[in-house]
Amino acid sequence: MINTLKRFAALWLVLLSMQAAVAQQQQLQSPAQFLGYELGKQFSTQSRILDYVNYLAVQAPNRIKVEEYGRTYENRPLVLAYVASDENLQRLEQIRENNLRQASLLGGSIQGEQPAIVWLSYNVHGNESVSSEAVLQVLYDLVNPENAQSREWLQNTIVILDPMVNPDGRERYVQWYNQASNRGGNASPYAWEHWEPWPGGRPNHYYFDLNRDWAWQTQVESQQRLKVYNSWLPQVHADFHEMGAESPYYFSPAAKPFHESITPWQRQFQNTIGEYNRQYFDKNNWLYFTRESFDLFYPSYGDTWPTYNGAIGMTYEQGGSGRAGLAYKKADGDTLTLTDRIAHHVAASEATIKAASEKANELKQEFQKYYSTSLKNPGGEYKSFVLKSTANTAGNLKALTDYLQQQGIQYGYAANKGSVRGYNYLNGKTESIKLAPQDVVISMYQPKSVLVKVLFEPKSALEDSLTYDITSWALPYAYGVQAYAVKGRVGMSQTAPAAPAAAAINIEKPYAYLARWNGLEDLKFATQLMQQQVKVRMAELPFEMDGTTYEAGTLIITRTGNERLGDKFDATVRELAQQYGVQLTATNTGFVSSGADFGSGSVRYLKAPKVALLSGEGVSPYGFGEVWHFFEQQINYPVTVLNTSYFSQVPLQEFDVLILPTGSYAKVLDDKTLEKLQDWVRGGGKLIALESAVNYLAGKKGFELKKKDAEEEEKEAAKKERKDKDPYENLRSYAAREREALESEVQGSIFRVDLDKTHPLAFGYGDSYFALIRSADTFQFMEDGWNVGVLKKNNHVAGYVGQGAKKQLQDALILGTQRLGRGEIVYLADNPLFRGFWQGGKLMFGNAVFVVGQ
Ligand SMILES: [Zn+2]
């Protein structure tokens, strides 16, 4: 009896709790109710954040729809939440299509009432970790049916939210912080939890800064996001960040310089949104600043790229980032808490949505006007860009047209064979061009003409040199293609002319296969052959055969040496050539009409190298990541990552090549380790140093390289001269200090580098190469070494160079090699892999790894 009673009581309790659950379901849970802690009391992991987002989608299917749009390199989901009124949520697809019609990117007429579209991106920098906490409150406020204000906004506005743009980076930070922090957080700036370890959570898996990748699209996160973004093209895009913990809050209007392509209305609306933010911040007595630091010029940010695509693009910056943790005591004695940081980003999010909703009609009209002007009356002095199709640059041109497709930029082919006059990017002269049917033509008369102008114009007008990033990037230089900017229209056909039929290989078992060496695809072809155990050779000298000239660097894949592969030899070579678009020539002889026969000592066997790459404390995570990404994601070749923490113990004889990315090496390479490194090179190793690693080695015993100190000498001389003229010369203006510092800098500017094309480091290039120079650290010509890439006088092409840096960038070495014993040292003071987007530099780096010293 007692047992039965107990059982009855238990059942009754279960029923009660089920009832409570039902009641709770009707009431939407806040983030705190759902997570079990108040927002700001601890950092939430991605899985908990997604749990809440998905919970909202289940509870309020008439308000919010959630969609996975991709995966990160570490296989974490990338997710978008669409929040709209019941009615609009049901016709999302129609709204999306309507919007593309407004932008002239889709045919047909607009159906029904069109809302404004706002896109909010959170946590693109992983350790700016407040954003993905704040978005939970924003989502709750938008979805909560009892919130009258958001109900009103959603009448005429839809909001697309990306709660975590960079999950790999954010998890790196949050997992570390949750392990390292005191219970509830310790505000002392000296507590371990405020000192994030190498490499930091800001970048993604390969340590790329995703807020520098909107225009270049080198990372999977950006590629998948851009696809959805381009299918929507919102009227407003806001990107949520954090800056140093001592700074308060930044919102638009942005700082100068603005790119000249930003329309007056876009400038004005930056002010309008700033006005809405101001009201929220003033009401709460919160500190903020505007019009400083964050400019709108470099096209690859989350504010500029959307701006060049017709949106109002904005950056919001909260003070905090990887330094601030849960609580941080600032210099002024106040404690900054995560709770404060959340409140500010929530306010800015809501101010943005409110502004868009109250100005929805204006936004829609101006968006439509932006695109119709772009299509019918594009800006800029050039109206067409012609990309010449040449045998040597076919691979680079293909990479560039693939890129145009990614960006939604339309292009065609030259329709007439006539001539036009155009500005030649290679020599800076305006001259006559003979058009050929394979030439690619990009017309400015298209919806995305602003983006075309920004990416293609030979020189970008900089209204102020105080900017945050590189100052030139014109794609013909970045891709190393022959291009012309033309003032008029060039007749264009939409269909590609039939490619000239590839010469069939009519020799079944040739003596050798030949392939040209011109671009990244050729490098992929060669390195894949190596991995399939096919022996590959390379001609060190140009040669002639059957009336055709082959440049130095031509691949020669002989049957001899590959007999052990049997029939697989021919199949492997042909299949890989097809896969990488490599044109093969088959020959029945090793005898050439001029140059060296295939058995000559100057036809080198390319041994597949075992490559090691240094990472860790002291090495720049970005510089390391660029090389890591190159091997793993671009050419798919094995690389062993070492770490500075145990580097001195590594038996280097295990490797053929060691790469030192840019970094600060003083603590990594002490005298003893340097000696060990040189012993290894003397024994046949190849050391490749990049950027500041080159700087570190220069002047050290055994290294031939010496710094060029023109800058210091020049500065001293100039100073003395000024002093002689003006006794008050030393009374400099304090306010001008930032500008003066710029005097000795070069800010990502394009230079023509003169090459010794007979050296293996320059194989596949002509007499020159366009480099993106970001440092005035240059070197003297080596007496005992090869000066492969040099800057002579007047080699500057585009971008900002300070007066003080000009001399330093003349008559200087930037690419060189030296022999040491049986080994080789390669100095790449210019990093050809910078941000993974300088397509024209990739073969140079491939030469350093796979060709030099073989
Ligand atoms: Zn940031």
Side-chain angles (χ1 to χ4, degrees):
M1 179 69 186
I2 286 168
N3 260 346
T4 319
L5 264 180
K6 259 191 184 162
R7 241 180 251 161
F8 178 78
L11 190 67
W12 185 68
L13 276 173
V14 168
L15 280 172
L16 260 187
S17 65
M18 278 170 68
Q19 249 180 346
V22 169
Q24 233 173 15
Q25 247 174 28
Q26 287 155 352
Q27 178 100 40
L28 197 66
Q29 288 186 14
S30 69
Q33 287 165 329
F34 182 87
L35 295 167
Y37 53 86
E38 289 291 330
L39 279 182
K41 293 301 170 204
Q42 72 174 71
F43 281 108
S44 311
T45 60
Q46 193 205 16
S47 74
R48 290 303 282 153
I49 287 167
L50 292 186
D51 283 349
Y52 186 63
V53 173
N54 289 326
Y55 159 82
L56 291 177
V58 170
Q59 295 298 308
N62 56 344
R63 251 315 160 75
I64 171 172
K65 195 185 133 208
V66 177
E67 169 189 279
E68 181 177 318
Y69 68 89
R71 291 272 166 150
T72 67
Y73 282 115
E74 294 176 18
N75 203 25
R76 292 191 175 86
L78 293 163
V79 158
L80 284 176
Y82 300 85
V83 183
S85 67
D86 193 351
E87 189 205 346
N88 282 338
L89 201 65
Q90 284 176 36
R91 53 185 281 269
L92 265 188
E93 184 56 14
Q94 188 184 67
I95 291 168
R96 188 185 71 77
E97 289 183 351
N98 279 346
N99 194 55
L100 292 182
R101 287 183 184 113
Q102 289 184 10
S104 316
L105 283 159
L106 194 68
S109 55
I110 290 168
Q111 313 278 318
E113 192 59 33
Q114 186 66 2
I117 302 166
V118 175
W119 185 305
L120 307 177
S121 294
Y122 297 87
N123 241 132
V124 61
H125 288 144
N127 62 357
E128 297 171 6
S129 48
V130 62
S131 298
S132 295
E133 308 288 338
V135 70
L136 299 181
Q137 187 65 45
V138 176
L139 277 167
Y140 174 71
D141 291 346
L142 285 176
V143 171
N144 182 5
E146 282 160 29
N147 189 323
Q149 200 176 34
S150 65
R151 247 192 353 251
E152 198 183 312
W153 295 339
L154 294 176
Q155 287 303 308
N156 66 353
T157 305
I158 72 166
V159 189
I160 305 174
L161 304 97
D162 190 332
M164 203 182 290
V165 175
N166 175 16
D168 292 351
R170 190 176 191 276
E171 285 293 285
R172 192 181 314 128
Y173 172 74
V174 165
Q175 298 291 348
W176 170 78
Y177 184 84
N178 286 343
Q179 292 165 36
S181 64
N182 280 101
R183 204 146 39 105
N186 181 334
S188 164
Y190 303 104
W192 181 26
E193 63 197 66
H194 303 300
W195 296 81
E196 214 188 343
W198 195 94
R202 177 185 170 97
N204 74 344
H205 172 76
Y206 284 106
Y207 309 134
F208 273 65
D209 184 333
L210 295 179
N211 193 36
R212 302 291 183 279
D213 197 44
W214 279 81
W216 317 133
Q217 294 289 305
T218 68
Q219 301 299 295
V220 290
E221 290 87 355
S222 317
Q223 289 160 4
Q224 297 167 106
R225 172 171 19 88
L226 191 76
K227 223 171 167 178
V228 201
Y229 187 99
N230 263 337
S231 79
W232 277 96
L233 293 177
Q235 279 83 49
V236 175
H237 179 261
D239 206 24
F240 290 84
H241 288 261
E242 286 189 89
M243 55 189 161
E246 298 291 341
S247 300
Y249 199 92
Y250 162 83
F251 51 76
S252 59
K256 281 182 176 175
F258 278 34
H259 193 283
E260 62 177 2
S261 297
I262 299 173
T263 67
W265 180 77
Q266 283 178 315
R267 290 165 196 247
Q268 181 204 317
F269 207 83
Q270 287 253 334
N271 296 335
T272 305
I273 294 198
E275 190 60 30
Y276 277 82
N277 275 296
R278 195 172 70 74
Q279 284 168 21
Y280 274 77
F281 279 69
D282 284 344
K283 194 173 71 194
N284 288 292
N285 300 312
W286 293 334
L287 284 176
Y288 57 87
F289 66 92
T290 62
R291 293 162 293 182
E292 287 178 63
S293 298
F294 302 99
D295 63 72
L296 293 176
F297 190 63
Y298 173 70
S300 210
Y301 295 133
D303 51 15
T304 46
W305 192 91
T307 299
Y308 304 146
N309 283 272
I312 302 303
M314 290 170 306
T315 292
Y316 287 119
E317 297 271 355
Q318 163 64 41
S321 71
R323 188 43 75 92
L326 291 178
Y328 184 83
K329 193 157 184 202
K330 296 191 298 169
D332 65 7
D334 287 345
T335 299
L336 173 70
T337 64
L338 182 59
T339 309
D340 301 333
R341 290 151 65 199
I342 292 172
H344 303 160
H345 265 353
V346 170
S349 303
E350 300 190 2
T352 307
I353 300 167
K354 184 178 182 196
S357 170
E358 291 184 3
K359 309 277 178 187
N361 284 334
E362 191 183 335
L363 275 171
K364 285 184 293 177
Q365 274 165 21
E366 290 290 337
F367 178 80
Q368 195 156 13
K369 200 167 119 196
Y370 181 95
Y371 274 96
S372 73
T373 307
S374 296
L375 176 65
K376 292 173 191 146
N377 188 21
E381 68 174 311
Y382 299 112
K383 302 300 178 205
S384 310
F385 299 92
V386 176
L387 313 175
K388 289 297 284 181
S389 172
T390 68
N392 290 349
T393 57
N396 289 351
L397 184 57
K398 166 79 169 47
L400 181 47
T401 50
D402 287 350
Y403 168 84
L404 295 176
Q405 280 176 20
Q406 250 180 339
Q407 290 283 355
I409 292 172
Q410 299 160 3
Y411 63 91
Y413 298 87
N416 312 308
K417 277 192 176 165
S419 298
V420 288
R421 284 186 73 74
Y423 172 90
N424 183 346
Y425 283 74
L426 299 186
N427 61 17
K429 289 177 185 148
T430 298
E431 55 192 40
S432 177
I433 329 154
K434 252 191 133 94
L435 296 168
Q438 304 286 345
D439 295 343
V440 171
V441 178
I442 303 159
S443 167
M444 281 288 286
Y445 294 87
Q446 65 167 302
K448 286 208 172 194
S449 62
V450 174
L451 187 63
V452 174
K453 176 180 183 293
V454 172
L455 295 175
F456 277 88
E457 62 191 350
K459 291 183 170 114
S460 304
L462 193 60
E463 61 179 6
D464 189 324
S465 51
L466 269 187
T467 176
Y468 212 44
D469 213 288
I470 64 172
T471 52
S472 53
W473 47 76
L475 292 179
Y477 298 120
Y479 277 79
V481 299
Q482 195 182 331
Y484 298 86
V486 179
K487 288 188 174 165
R489 286 203 195 210
V490 174
M492 199 167 84
S493 139
Q494 289 306 330
T495 45
I505 301 173
N506 46 21
I507 308 172
E508 206 190 323
K509 301 269 176 196
Y511 180 92
Y513 293 95
L514 307 179
R516 292 179 188 275
W517 188 250
N518 291 130
L520 186 63
E521 297 304 299
D522 304 322
L523 178 68
K524 288 186 199 169
F525 171 61
T527 53
Q528 291 309 310
L529 284 172
M530 287 175 181
Q531 290 186 71
Q532 305 224 9
Q533 317 305 326
V534 176
K535 283 191 177 161
V536 182
R537 283 160 212 278
M538 181 175 269
E540 204 182 57
L541 301 169
F543 64 92
E544 218 180 281
M545 201 177 210
D546 296 332
T548 307
T549 307
Y550 294 87
E551 297 294 334
T554 299
L555 293 173
I556 300 173
I557 310 152
T558 57
R559 184 166 305 276
T560 191
N562 286 309
E563 298 92 342
R564 79 211 127 73
L565 297 172
D567 288 344
K568 243 185 83 191
F569 169 64
D570 298 276
T572 307
V573 174
R574 292 176 193 213
E575 274 164 26
L576 286 174
Q578 175 122 28
Q579 187 179 336
Y580 295 106
V582 169
Q583 177 90 50
L584 287 177
T585 306
T587 166
N588 258 337
T589 175
F591 182 81
V592 300
S593 40
S594 80
D597 295 330
F598 296 172
S600 156
S602 72
V603 175
R604 307 278 183 158
Y605 162 57
L606 299 184
K607 184 189 168 205
K610 277 192 235 158
V611 182
L613 168 62
L614 194 57
S615 75
E617 200 75 55
V619 176
S620 151
Y622 299 103
F624 158 65
E626 284 154 7
V627 181
W628 192 21
H629 184 264
F630 175 79
F631 280 101
E632 291 213 317
Q633 296 293 330
Q634 298 177 43
I635 66 167
N636 191 15
Y637 189 87
V639 61
T640 301
V641 174
L642 309 176
N643 195 285
T644 50
S645 61
Y646 61 87
F647 178 61
S648 61
Q649 300 162 44
V650 175
L652 290 173
Q653 64 274 17
E654 295 284 318
F655 303 98
D656 304 304
V657 174
L658 171 66
I659 300 165
L660 304 179
T662 190
S664 331
Y665 281 90
K667 283 186 191 153
V668 182
L669 300 178
D670 55 17
D671 291 350
K672 220 177 116 195
T673 316
L674 267 183
E675 230 166 80
K676 186 182 148 186
L677 209 52
Q678 289 191 355
D679 283 345
W680 167 76
V681 176
R682 280 193 198 93
K686 180 161 58 181
L687 182 67
I688 301 175
L690 288 139
E691 297 186 89
S692 51
V694 176
N695 236 346
Y696 180 72
L697 298 180
K700 295 258 180 332
K701 208 177 125 213
F703 296 93
E704 291 296 332
L705 202 65
K706 289 190 182 67
K707 282 183 197 171
K708 186 175 189 296
D709 288 324
E711 193 190 359
E712 281 311 306
E713 286 166 28
E714 290 294 317
K715 261 200 221 158
E716 286 304 312
K719 209 168 160 189
K720 189 174 174 304
E721 196 189 312
R722 286 200 302 265
K723 228 171 166 177
D724 290 346
K725 275 191 201 150
D726 178 6
Y728 299 121
E729 160 60 22
N730 275 349
L731 310 183
R732 293 177 300 131
S733 153
Y734 176 72
R737 64 197 184 283
E738 273 186 272
R739 225 159 274 280
E740 278 185 3
L742 274 178
E743 280 291 282
S744 53
E745 279 184 24
V746 49
Q747 285 184 290
S749 297
I750 298 170
F751 280 74
R752 196 182 61 250
V753 177
D754 287 304
L755 293 175
D756 171 6
K757 68 172 176 183
T758 67
H759 191 282
L761 184 58
F763 282 177
Y765 292 82
D767 297 319
S768 63
Y769 150 73
F770 290 93
L772 184 68
I773 303 285
R774 296 175 301 117
S775 158
D777 293 334
T778 55
F779 303 89
Q780 301 173 19
F781 299 144
M782 283 188 282
E783 285 175 26
D784 206 4
W786 301 109
N787 299 290
V788 186
V790 301
L791 300 175
K792 294 184 182 164
K793 293 182 180 70
N794 304 321
N795 280 29
H796 176 232
V797 175
Y800 174 82
V801 183
Q803 274 304 329
K806 274 187 179 155
K807 266 273 152 54
Q808 189 71 9
L809 293 159
Q810 283 182 8
D811 298 330
L813 170 73
I814 60 161
L815 308 167
T817 73
Q818 82 166 81
R819 198 86 197 149
L820 184 65
R822 292 196 290 120
E824 200 92 26
I825 303 169
V826 182
Y827 302 107
L828 303 175
D830 164 57
N831 173 8
L833 302 180
F834 177 66
R835 289 183 188 162
F837 86 103
W838 206 259
Q839 197 72 17
K842 291 176 181 176
L843 186 66
M844 182 84 68
F845 188 76
N847 283 339
V849 176
F850 296 99
V851 182
V852 169
Q854 292 265 22

